[in-house]
Amino acid sequence: MRTGDLFRGAPAGLPASVPTGRTLVMGVLNVTPDSFSDGGAYVDQGAALAHGLDMVARGADLVDVGGESTRPGATPVDPAEEIRRVEPVVRALAERGVVVSIDTLHAATAAAALEAGARIVNDVSAGVHDPEILHVAARAGAVVVLQHRRGEAGTMTALADYDDLVPDVVAEVAERRDAALAAGIAADRIVLDPGLGFAKEGTQSWEVLERLEALAVLGHPLLVGTSRKRFLAAAVADGPDRTGTPVDRDAATAATTALLAARGVWAVRVHDVRPSADAVAVAAALAPFAGGDGR
């Protein structure tokens, strides 16, 4: 398969069953009452397990389990409560052979999830919120996703002021990558995430999305999450005040998945799995013919 300009291989440490020749689809499983997209739908452990397995059946390669909303303005959750929410779900999915990622800011939650069978730690603060999370991941040999973000959930919106947007984002991600290396995380187990919508206004997210090669230059695979985010609404709504609901942005999400898969990102993080899995398949089918004379 011909890969695009963002391809940087796959992280080490994942099971051989995880595909390596195409963009992966990471399904979002929020076991929270207040997530921006589907808060409350899967707080019941049985419903969460059923949804996680359904996402795998629909084409998810990975399932990202989160017990605390990280949307702008979200209320923080105590790690003990977060663990209560996520640990049984992570364990049940892992026992059924699902490759699980834990979406958390907290070292204690990451440790509990890794003990329960998670293979990836996805920290939207890249270790800023709780630096010990990097050491927990290093000791476990986990894959770590380092996302760009400024501030906390309650302050990030006010911190979207950059001297030079893309170079600033890359420099700040590089600092967190270096912190992860210093904590003992192997370079080949680091994945980078540009953090679209986190401390970025709508047009800024589009610019970062277009210029992902600047982040890929750091030499690590990329995970990109566009799913249902507000910046997509401006592109597809009839006017700037008509944003619709998050679910109304699923078609736009799948469009970005197709573009990202064609460019060779390692994985996309999405709520509605099947359209993005199909988009990845389309990009993979087209890839052998890319670069021809256009006839």
Side-chain angles (χ1 to χ4, degrees):
M1 174 182 170
R2 181 180 180 273
T3 53
D5 58 323
L6 301 177
F7 180 73
R8 294 296 181 276
L14 294 179
S17 59
V18 177
T20 58
R22 59 163 173 81
T23 292
L24 302 183
V25 176
M26 175 184 280
V28 179
L29 180 53
N30 292 317
V31 289
T32 60
D34 60 342
S35 292
F36 85 99
S37 172
D38 53 5
Y42 308 111
V43 291
D44 175 78
Q45 292 175 7
L49 174 60
H51 185 56
L53 294 175
D54 183 63
M55 285 194 292
V56 172
R58 290 175 176 272
D61 304 291
L62 315 164
V63 174
D64 192 39
V65 179
E68 177 182 13
S69 176
T70 55
R71 62 177 173 79
T75 302
V77 174
D78 181 85
E81 171 61 17
E82 186 184 30
I83 292 169
R84 185 195 69 78
R85 294 174 180 178
V86 304
E87 193 274 345
V89 178
V90 170
R91 187 176 300 279
L93 288 171
E95 287 175 348
R96 289 161 173 78
V98 178
V99 182
V100 179
S101 166
I102 180 65
D103 177 4
T104 185
L105 297 162
H106 306 289
T109 305
L114 291 168
E115 177 65 25
R119 307 296 290 267
I120 302 169
V121 175
N122 181 14
D123 180 1
V124 300
S125 82
V128 172
H129 182 87
D130 184 354
E132 179 59 22
I133 198 171
L134 299 178
H135 297 280
V136 166
R139 289 192 292 270
V143 173
V144 178
V145 179
L146 303 175
Q147 186 201 273
H148 179 266
R149 185 179 82 164
R150 287 178 168 182
E152 301 286 342
T155 62
M156 71 173 85
T157 302
L159 298 175
D161 185 16
Y162 298 84
D163 292 329
D164 194 350
L165 175 63
V166 173
D168 287 355
V169 168
V170 172
E172 291 168 20
V173 171
E175 287 180 3
R176 300 316 306 157
R177 185 274 310 273
D178 292 346
L181 293 172
I185 297 172
D188 63 1
R189 300 197 177 200
I190 292 175
V191 175
L192 305 180
D193 182 339
L196 302 177
F198 286 77
K200 297 170 192 69
E201 301 293 345
T203 57
Q204 293 173 325
S205 289
W206 283 116
E207 182 177 353
V208 172
L209 184 61
E210 169 58 24
R211 297 175 61 189
L212 285 175
E213 71 282 349
L215 189 61
V217 166
L218 294 178
H220 302 278
L222 300 184
L223 168 69
V224 182
T226 66
S227 186
R228 297 182 177 176
K229 291 185 176 179
R230 187 176 297 274
F231 79 93
L232 294 178
V236 297
D238 290 341
D241 296 327
R242 183 181 172 187
T243 58
T245 67
V247 173
D248 291 332
R249 304 164 197 162
D250 282 340
T253 299
T256 62
T257 292
L259 295 169
L260 289 164
R263 294 178 68 188
V265 302
W266 172 65
V268 293
R269 182 179 182 274
V270 301
H271 297 84
D272 190 6
V273 165
R274 183 56 183 269
S276 281
D278 287 350
V280 167
V282 169
L286 184 62
F289 306 98
D293 62 7
R295 291 182 293 178

